[in-house]
Amino acid sequence: MGLSAKHIFITGGVTSSLGKGIIAASLAKLLQSRGISVTIQKFDPYLNIDPGTLNPYEHGECYVTEDGAETDLDLGHYERFLNATTSQDNNVTTGRIYNNVITKERKGEFLGKTVQVVPHITDEIKNNFYKLGRDGKYDVIITEIGGCVGDIESLPFVEAVRQARWDLGPNNILVIHLTLIPYLSAAKELKTKPTQHSVKQLLEAGVQPDILVCRTEHHLPSDVKKKIALFCNVQLNCVIEAMDATSIYDVPLLMKKERLDERVMSKLKISSKSNTELEQWKDFLGRLKNPTMEVDVALIGKYVSLPDAYKSIIESFIHAGTSLECKVNLHLISSEEVNKDNVDKKLQDMDGVLVAPGFGIRGLAGKLDAVKFARINQIPYFGICLGMQIAVIEFANNVLGLAEASSTEIKPDCKDPVIFLMEGQKDITQMGGTMRLGSYPCELVKGSRAFTAYGKQKITERHRHRYEFNNKYLKEFEKHGMIASGKNPDKGLVEIVEIKDHPWFVGTQFHPEYKSTVLNPHPLFVRFIKAMIDKKQNKS
């Protein structure tokens, strides 16, 4: 089979949203800090080919990788923790598995065989399990199985994990099961029965977990740990307590304290290549918990009732704020609740305004009012993707005097389409994976705010959009003070706009939040926060 990597599978039980992604990322961080080369992949049990067409309310944000894959938001955690990039191969859905198998069947690759879940679907799942481990680049592959053990759609994945034990052999595979130990306040008791049932379901599918990571709001006394170990058939030192943490960035150190990495290395027979190198991580946590100042930022968007819809932006503020020893208080404001009459009241106490990415017409008027308020009142402004396009439309309406200016996404027949559909997008009827996706180069104008932030002229950033700035209007914009400070060198497309006579007013066509990590905060977020700090200090 040509497999060189060892495999760790992480499943979840009792309830969803226990934080498998954070545990996976934390374990990977601990292994990485010991000099072990590691990557993480996520297998999602839904039938969508990818999360690109899912409403953020369904599944949180859609995270875009360097190679243009629309993936699960957990891949964002993986990149932020590991400071390494992921790809199309790091996120696989049931939809993609079935699509691959059906495509092969139509081509006649199964030679007249009856195509079944076992072995054809499970073989395809295993093939994807092993893909990243074939080239010898990684010592360890961590695979997170989405959903909850016991769900119908998860069964083929659990079956594939069962088979993987036989493929890989002892010392090359490990199963970690993440579970919940609820606390009944009336009885003042921690209850292990849901965990026992969850492990029983795994055992019924032929999978014995090696390590149990138990999410809990209270410390697990030794008698509770002993009970779990006894009834779930695991070693006592493999019952790991995962207490609720104040920050997701605490979790690697909490898991280190519980010796999760040691248990894993012992079972997989991996010897540590170096002493644990977590000094930078501890330094980051120290600054995160001891800010010397704070700023208030309004995030204007239409999915604010589910903060996960803006996960990467929220984390980018944490990374950048921490680098400046500044606590960023994010105020998520629904764009549908902002209008001309209340925009002053909602934004007057804010040190900065960010208009978030999004699609469609809903909440548009509120975003335009927020941009105008920030521009006129000299409040630092950051517009991402649609946030940049809204800034362009507002500037065209109120500075260039083009009252009819708009985007063809909003008004297909508008008189002045300052934002319009790219030529290559006009004939596309399918929704999934058809946007301008992934990493593209951008050249910055020397002396611009963007150039100052990055400190270099050539950059690459990730995209996820269909509509672009209409270059026909560029001269008019620049004449009135909104410049294109970043352009795609191949097609001349405008990537960044900024207003010169303003403390900090920047809009980007790309999504900078996808590239921010704990150890490398994104320069635009850093500069945006710096501008807010400067403005606040000047005011006082």
Side-chain angles (χ1 to χ4, degrees):
M1 212 180 297
L3 302 177
S4 58
K6 292 178 185 275
H7 287 262
I8 299 169
F9 293 95
I10 299 183
T11 57
V14 183
T15 163
S16 58
S17 303
L18 285 181
K20 291 191 296 294
I22 302 297
I23 292 294
S26 298
L27 173 57
K29 182 75 212 168
L30 293 177
L31 295 176
Q32 185 193 56
S33 72
R34 290 172 172 270
I36 296 160
S37 171
V38 59
T39 189
I40 320 177
Q41 52 189 357
K42 171 88 184 272
F43 280 65
D44 270 312
Y46 51 76
L47 281 167
N48 304 62
I49 299 281
D50 61 41
T53 53
L54 286 176
N55 185 316
Y57 281 136
E58 290 273 329
H59 213 68
E61 86 173 352
C62 174
Y63 184 81
V64 177
T65 57
E66 283 284 297
D67 64 348
E70 294 177 287
T71 67
D72 184 82
L73 63 80
D74 274 329
L75 269 75
H77 291 311
Y78 306 163
E79 291 203 2
R80 288 188 281 273
F81 274 59
L82 293 178
N83 205 34
T85 56
T86 55
S87 72
Q88 175 83 55
D89 293 333
N90 292 71
N91 190 200
V92 179
T93 67
T94 295
R96 181 119 64 88
I97 297 289
Y98 273 81
N99 196 36
N100 292 351
V101 170
I102 291 165
T103 304
K104 285 177 186 173
E105 187 274 333
R106 291 288 81 187
K107 286 180 180 171
E109 286 185 29
F110 297 118
L111 300 170
K113 287 258 191 279
T114 304
V115 180
Q116 296 176 284
V117 173
V118 181
H120 300 98
I121 295 297
T122 50
D123 280 353
E124 183 65 25
I125 292 171
K126 287 193 296 176
N127 187 37
N128 282 274
F129 280 170
Y130 306 146
K131 204 185 240 179
L132 289 170
R134 286 208 164 97
D135 61 3
K137 191 177 168 188
Y138 301 107
D139 303 318
V140 174
I141 313 280
I142 298 176
T143 303
E144 179 194 341
I145 308 287
C148 210
V149 167
D151 295 347
I152 287 175
E153 54 261 39
S154 293
L155 280 172
F157 291 105
V158 177
E159 168 59 18
V161 172
R162 182 192 71 78
Q163 293 178 24
R165 254 203 213 281
W166 296 103
D167 292 348
L168 297 165
N171 307 329
N172 292 322
I173 178 171
L174 182 81
V175 177
I176 297 175
H177 189 53
L178 183 63
T179 176
L180 177 71
I181 308 287
Y183 180 77
L184 292 187
S185 49
K188 295 195 166 36
E189 227 183 339
L190 286 158
K191 288 302 197 185
T192 65
K193 188 61 81 179
T195 293
Q196 292 175 48
H197 279 302
S198 182
V199 171
K200 188 180 168 194
Q201 279 191 305
L202 258 185
L203 285 167
E204 281 173 6
V207 175
Q208 165 68 55
D210 300 285
I211 294 173
L212 292 179
V213 176
C214 303
R215 281 298 304 274
T216 172
E217 293 174 15
H218 299 265
H219 280 293
L220 298 181
S222 60
D223 61 324
V224 171
K225 281 191 171 185
K226 277 178 188 163
K227 186 177 178 184
I228 294 167
L230 179 65
F231 283 104
C232 297
N233 201 28
V234 297
Q235 290 170 306
L236 180 57
N237 65 7
C238 289
V239 178
I240 305 284
E241 174 187 284
M243 285 279 289
D244 291 356
T246 50
S247 157
I248 59 171
Y249 301 110
D250 283 320
V251 179
L253 297 183
L254 291 173
M255 289 300 99
K256 184 170 175 55
K257 201 172 160 194
E258 282 285 299
R259 301 188 165 175
L260 175 62
D261 52 335
E262 287 179 31
R263 298 277 79 81
V264 165
M265 290 169 68
S266 155
K267 285 193 170 291
L268 289 175
K269 303 237 178 317
I270 301 172
S271 54
S272 182
K273 298 184 181 179
S274 64
N275 290 328
T276 312
E277 175 42 66
L278 283 169
E279 289 316 306
Q280 283 179 291
W281 195 271
K282 288 174 182 169
D283 181 44
F284 167 81
L285 276 174
R287 288 199 310 275
L288 174 68
K289 292 177 179 181
N290 300 289
T292 56
M293 63 199 93
E294 53 185 86
V295 292
D296 292 275
V297 184
L299 187 154
I300 317 279
K302 64 176 181 179
Y303 304 115
V304 293
S305 59
L306 183 78
D308 267 3
Y310 304 112
K311 193 71 191 162
S312 291
I313 292 175
I314 292 167
E315 299 307 315
S316 297
F317 274 120
I318 292 171
H319 306 154
T322 301
S323 75
L324 295 166
E325 296 183 11
C326 176
K327 184 184 179 201
V328 179
N329 301 313
L330 260 186
H331 303 262
L332 274 63
I333 298 171
S334 170
S335 51
E336 293 178 87
E337 290 171 14
V338 178
N339 55 50
K340 286 184 175 63
D341 302 325
N342 68 11
V343 66
D344 285 31
K345 190 165 181 280
K346 283 190 180 290
L347 300 183
Q348 65 187 6
D349 296 327
M350 296 296 149
D351 300 306
V353 174
L354 182 142
V355 171
F359 295 92
I361 195 165
R362 188 161 59 85
L364 194 84
K367 289 177 180 174
L368 283 165
D369 291 331
V371 173
K372 185 177 180 182
F373 182 86
R375 180 177 61 79
I376 288 171
N377 291 288
Q378 301 277 295
I379 294 171
Y381 174 81
F382 195 4
I384 297 176
C385 200
L386 182 65
M388 168 207 151
Q389 296 177 359
I390 297 289
V392 165
I393 294 166
E394 190 279 328
F395 198 84
N397 293 160
N398 299 314
V399 179
L400 305 188
L402 303 173
E404 301 290 307
S406 190
S407 162
T408 54
E409 179 184 15
I410 298 144
K411 284 187 192 164
D413 54 354
C414 65
K415 189 178 163 194
D416 290 297
V418 289
I419 304 290
F420 73 141
L421 197 58
M422 298 182 291
E423 280 304 315
Q425 291 283 346
K426 286 185 177 169
D427 302 322
I428 289 174
T429 52
Q430 279 194 307
M431 296 291 280
T434 54
M435 290 177 279
R436 187 167 173 225
L437 287 163
S439 191
Y440 287 88
C442 173
E443 282 190 3
L444 306 177
V445 173
K446 283 190 174 173
S448 64
R449 284 198 175 82
F451 180 81
T452 306
Y454 284 96
K456 56 185 178 184
Q457 203 164 2
K458 292 185 177 176
I459 59 164
T460 59
E461 289 285 0
R462 299 183 201 176
H463 293 250
R464 184 177 183 246
H465 63 99
R466 276 195 181 84
Y467 294 81
E468 298 279 358
F469 182 94
N470 190 340
N471 280 349
K472 197 172 92 175
Y473 294 88
L474 184 55
K475 276 193 175 131
E476 194 65 15
F477 272 90
E478 298 209 313
K479 197 168 86 183
H480 285 84
M482 180 179 269
I483 64 156
S485 58
K487 280 186 182 179
N488 177 284
D490 306 321
K491 295 189 174 174
L493 299 168
V494 173
E495 299 276 22
I496 309 175
V497 298
E498 52 187 75
I499 295 176
K500 289 177 184 173
D501 54 349
H502 192 282
W504 207 87
F505 191 106
V506 174
T508 65
Q509 184 61 81
F510 51 79
H511 290 255
E513 71 274 19
Y514 291 146
K515 287 184 82 164
S516 180
T517 71
V518 169
L519 299 182
N520 280 317
H522 196 284
L524 289 178
F525 278 91
V526 174
R527 284 286 164 170
F528 179 42
I529 296 168
K530 183 86 174 62
M532 288 187 271
I533 293 168
D534 291 347
K535 185 159 176 64
K536 196 171 180 179
Q537 286 174 341
N538 290 341
K539 217 193 293 183
S540 57

